[in-house]
Amino acid sequence: MIGLTVRQMLYFDALAQTLHFGRAAKLAGVSQPALSAQIAEMEERLSCPLFERGGKTVQMTDEALVLQPRIERILADIRDVETTARRGRPAMEGRFRLGIIPTVAPYLLPRALPELKRHFPALQLELREAVTASLVEDSASGRLDAFIAALPLDHPGLVTEELFPDRFFLAVPAGDPAFASPPVPPESPALERLMLLEEGHCLRDQALAVCGNVRPVAMASYGATSLTTLLQMVAHGLGVTLVPEMAASAAGVMPDLRIVPFQEPMPQRMICMAWRRNKVRQDECLELAKIIRGLDAAVLAS
């Protein structure tokens, strides 16, 4: 009998996600030596190496790549068993792993977290900020209970619940004559200076959709990993960028930056909550969505 433990599979999953023993130990909430020892014991019991160690780099072996989806399914089933066992207890009690995209997290969480704490004091919320593709993958595999992102989400294994619309504005350098008389039409030639987030951020795709008539070569000239970085670039006169309504108030107080509206109908995105289509935690997800839905974009932006 092989006798793998759930703990070993959890540590394997953490190391497979991070490919770094220190970060994996932090993710799993244990010391690095403890995680390393369990991975080594797992390799011994399976009689095969799972990770190649080379200095500071870690790579998964072919055997580990084959095992990874199976271990993810096992861990997801175990989490479902734990959740089912909790039924009958007070709603929203205990651990809940929630993901959120970077262009929503800094603006929604400061308002949402106190409300969630007030309504559900026994809730142990664990947050993960990541781009949409990572959140979809982690939810489908059971590493997250739910996540907040922007529609559309094209995954058959997910259920989505709309939260609120979030209109788009344009951040421009203060005093820029090209934007002296807003609102801005989406086909304005000045939008050729539009700067985008790096590949993988849904706000990049939304900007391309909003400004579809702008030359893509000009838009591809810049890239950043955060909206804050883009806004700093705009403030220094390097271009313009799309800014969600929930971020507009904070952006508007930045020196040398101005927030201007688009022509009506103003473009917008729909923020949603999504979770796995297994109904195990659906009631809890709907309760969370109900609270967050009450914090509409206009309030968040104030």
Side-chain angles (χ1 to χ4, degrees), residues 18-19 40 55-56 58 61 87 94 105 152 168 170-171 178 194 197 212 218 228 232 236 239 253 262 278 282 296:
T18 61
L19 296 179
K56 295 183 178 180
V58 177
T61 64
R87 286 182 174 175
F168 286 122
L170 197 64
L194 190 71
L197 290 173
T228 301
Q232 290 289 347
H236 284 83
V253 301
F262 282 96
N278 61 6
Q282 178 164 295
D296 59 39

Side-chain angles (χ1 to χ4, degrees), residues 16-224:
Q17 288 185 59
T18 61
L19 296 179
H20 187 281
F21 277 91
R23 289 194 290 270
K26 184 177 181 180
L27 180 63
V30 297
S31 68
Q32 184 172 331
L35 183 138
S36 298
Q38 288 295 317
I39 293 295
E41 184 177 334
M42 186 178 182
E43 291 176 320
E44 183 178 348
R45 290 187 176 184
L46 293 173
S47 300
C48 67
L50 299 174
F51 297 93
E52 297 176 358
R53 291 84 158 168
K56 295 183 178 180
T57 63
V58 177
Q59 296 294 328
M60 297 177 68
T61 64
D62 291 340
E63 292 85 354
L65 291 170
V66 172
L67 285 175
Q68 185 181 18
R70 298 183 182 184
I71 287 177
E72 287 181 345
R73 287 196 295 270
I74 292 170
L75 293 176
D77 287 341
I78 291 172
R79 290 170 182 132
D80 286 350
V81 168
E82 292 174 342
T83 302
T84 301
R86 287 198 299 267
R87 286 182 174 175
R89 299 182 186 180
M92 298 308 297
E93 181 182 80
R95 182 188 188 206
F96 192 95
R97 299 156 302 165
L98 180 67
I100 187 164
I101 57 174
T103 57
V104 170
Y107 315 107
L108 175 63
L109 292 179
R111 298 296 297 271
L113 291 181
E115 283 297 303
L116 294 176
K117 186 66 175 177
R118 183 170 68 86
H119 283 83
F120 312 114
L123 178 67
Q124 299 171 15
L125 199 61
E126 297 180 7
L127 297 170
R128 187 193 172 201
E129 184 179 308
V131 297
T132 302
S134 296
L135 297 179
V136 168
E137 180 181 344
D138 285 351
S139 294
S141 65
R143 289 193 291 265
L144 287 175
D145 296 308
F147 67 93
I148 296 172
L151 291 172
L153 296 174
D154 186 17
H155 192 290
L158 294 178
V159 176
T160 60
E161 178 81 5
E162 292 185 355
L163 297 178
F164 52 82
D166 188 22
R167 298 183 300 172
F168 286 122
F169 290 76
L170 197 64
V172 304
D176 191 320
F179 302 98
S181 301
V184 181
E187 66 277 5
S188 170
L191 293 178
E192 291 182 1
R193 297 154 51 202
L194 190 71
M195 298 184 295
L196 305 172
L197 290 173
E198 287 185 342
E199 294 284 354
H201 290 267
C202 63
L203 189 59
R204 177 188 181 92
D205 299 328
Q206 292 155 1
L208 289 169
V210 169
C211 307
N213 294 325
V214 179
R215 291 182 299 156
V217 174
M219 289 192 291
S221 299
Y222 296 93

Side-chain angles (χ1 to χ4, degrees), residues 213-266:
N213 294 325
V214 179
R215 291 182 299 156
V217 174
M219 289 192 291
S221 299
Y222 296 93
T225 59
S226 73
L227 181 58
T228 301
T229 300
L230 278 182
L231 293 172
Q232 290 289 347
M233 294 167 70
V234 173
H236 284 83
L238 298 179
V240 301
T241 197
L242 214 63
V243 59
E245 184 172 12
M246 64 169 57
S249 180
V253 301
M254 292 178 62
D256 303 317
L257 196 69
R258 182 180 173 212
I259 306 300
V260 297
F262 282 96
Q263 279 185 350
E264 294 287 355
M266 290 182 63

